[in-house]
Amino acid sequence: MKEKHDPVFIYRFYGSSLSREILRESVRHYSFTECWEMLCFLDCICDVYPDRGALLWLREKTGECLRNHDNGTDYFRDLRTLESELEYALSVIN
């Protein structure tokens, strides 16, 4: 059985935060409604380095997208990695 998350991935952090641009790059090539909503959120609401509330919203939206669309193929690898990175970022933010 294939694991939901890849066992090894690289965190793309500046300090303890994912930058808005890194987050945009993770979702921009997907055409799902949830990803479009994340792009709008990142472009219109987020600071350059999203705060805890923004990261929580992004994690929930990423999880929603994966629950709705992920069929276990490599196509969703970037979104699975993003979900793991968001969970890690939330665990280290004060």
Side-chain angles (χ1 to χ4, degrees), residues 16 52 89-94:
S16 62
R52 183 175 183 74
L90 286 164
S91 75
V92 298
I93 289 178
N94 296 328

Side-chain angles (χ1 to χ4, degrees), residues 17-28:
S17 298
L18 288 166
S19 72
R20 178 177 54 206
E21 191 57 36
I22 287 170
L23 294 163
R24 285 189 96 270
E25 287 299 310
S26 296
V27 298
R28 71 177 176 79

Side-chain angles (χ1 to χ4, degrees), residues 19-76:
S19 72
R20 178 177 54 206
E21 191 57 36
I22 287 170
L23 294 163
R24 285 189 96 270
E25 287 299 310
S26 296
V27 298
R28 71 177 176 79
H29 60 274
Y30 296 101
S31 56
F32 302 112
T33 301
E34 299 90 348
C35 293
W36 178 82
E37 290 172 354
M38 286 189 276
L39 289 172
C40 288
F41 181 81
L42 289 165
D43 289 341
C44 299
I45 297 172
C46 280
D47 292 329
V48 173
Y49 296 101
D51 63 13
R52 183 175 183 74
L55 293 174
L56 281 166
W57 188 89
L58 290 162
R59 184 193 63 192
E60 292 304 313
K61 192 56 70 172
T62 302
E64 178 184 340
C65 185
L66 289 169
R67 284 188 305 277
N68 290 336
H69 307 288
D70 189 1
N71 60 4
T73 63
D74 284 345
Y75 179 73
F76 292 93

Side-chain angles (χ1 to χ4, degrees), residues 71-86:
N71 60 4
T73 63
D74 284 345
Y75 179 73
F76 292 93
R77 184 179 193 171
D78 288 346
L79 281 179
R80 286 185 225 116
T81 299
L82 176 61
E83 184 178 45
S84 295
E85 289 177 328
L86 289 166

